[in-house]
Amino acid sequence: MKTRKGEVKGRTTAFCRPMGDMLDVVIVGGGPAGFTAGLYAGRAGLKSVIVDNGAGGQLFGSSIVENYPGFVEPISGQSLSQLMQDQALKFGCPVEYDQVEGIVLDGKVKLVKGINKTYNTKTVIIATGASARKLGVPGEQEFQGRGVSYCATCDGAFFKDKPIIVVGGGDSALEEALFLCRYGSKVTVVHRRQHLRATFHIQELARKNDKLFLQLNTVVDAIEGTDVVERVRLKDVVSEEITYQEAAGVFMYVGQEPNSSLVKELITLDEYGYIVADADTTQTNVPGIFAAGDVRQKTLRQVVTATSDGAIAAMAASRYVEQNW
Ligand code: NAP
């Protein structure tokens, strides 16, 4: 599991507030949405805290980000994430490391229950993001950590001069495949359709890279090996022909699942598990609970839309506190 540099999962920082101290807002999740909510909450003078599980979110695991405004040169997801955290802290919103396991309503008060402590708060912003979806083929689980990975930044270097397969046809698959070209002898992107979903610019970069190969209309049927991954079994979805391709690393980028199980009993979710929230305020069906970033039902999931949500959620939380307390 990824952990932010120098931090121990579950450890709280020196900024802990004593239990029972009522907060204005607890932000659950330290990704772009959570950090931006923290920045805006801090600047609005709200007593706030970001509670993060320290596992590192999607931005933290992204090798490069080149479409976040203001960064003309690509920046690593880890660096951008750290800058956002520093900025929230600068304006008075600390980060505490804890695994939030539930939220309970006690009248107007919300009790955010972590493993280490319970936070009493007037409002909550859920910014827990989304996690990599599993492909669900034979060998995937068996070889996880022995060739199968969901994080190119974390594991790419293990496959120096070895053949790599990337599964998926979206922005993540192609961006991370490009990153993996630094290491692999050859990187093959296996996509189930004829057309890629990734944005045009990323497709262009992929097509220009000599080490990157596209295998379209193809699915990974199974991942095989003895101790570690040695090959994948591929199926052409048009001809149904089965072939085998040598591979040491198989990186899965087949979309995301929202991290919403924490509130599934409390808040309205859509059929895919995303939190339903008002687009103008990010407020959920529970007054005083807001949802920001990739965990929210929305059409465009980007770092820039997550930060936008974070700002909207914090300002809406501020208004809620003013009007209801
Ligand atoms: P995504 O856009 O949902 O793409 C997932 C890909 O996996 C699709 O190509 C999909 O195929 C394929 N797929 C899904 N289930 C599959 C299965 N069972 N078997 C085989 N293939 C399967 O996910 P993402 O790439 O993780 O991106 C998530 C969001 O973040 C998107 O909105 C994306 O634009 C954004 N993002 C943006 C950037 C950037 O702007 N730089 C970088 C990363 C992510 P189909 O195409 O056939 O559905």
Side-chain angles (χ1 to χ4, degrees), residues 67 135 169-172 175 191-193 197 254-255 301-302:
N67 58 354
L135 185 61
D171 285 330
S172 300
E175 273 192 354
H191 178 44
R192 64 182 175 183
R193 288 189 297 131
R197 185 181 287 273
V254 292
R301 292 193 171 83
Q302 298 277 302

Side-chain angles (χ1 to χ4, degrees), residues 58 62 64-68 132-137 167-176 190-199 202 218-220 253-256 294 299-303:
Q58 292 183 96
S62 298
I64 57 158
V65 178
E66 58 175 12
N67 58 354
Y68 191 70
R133 182 184 290 145
K134 302 268 192 283
L135 185 61
V137 295
V167 189
D171 285 330
S172 300
L174 263 65
E175 273 192 354
E176 300 308 320
V190 176
H191 178 44
R192 64 182 175 183
R193 288 189 297 131
Q194 177 66 29
H195 300 288
L196 295 163
R197 185 181 287 273
T199 48
I202 301 173
T218 305
V219 291
V220 170
Y253 286 102
V254 292
Q256 317 165 321
D294 281 8
T299 49
L300 184 62
R301 292 193 171 83
Q302 298 277 302
V303 180

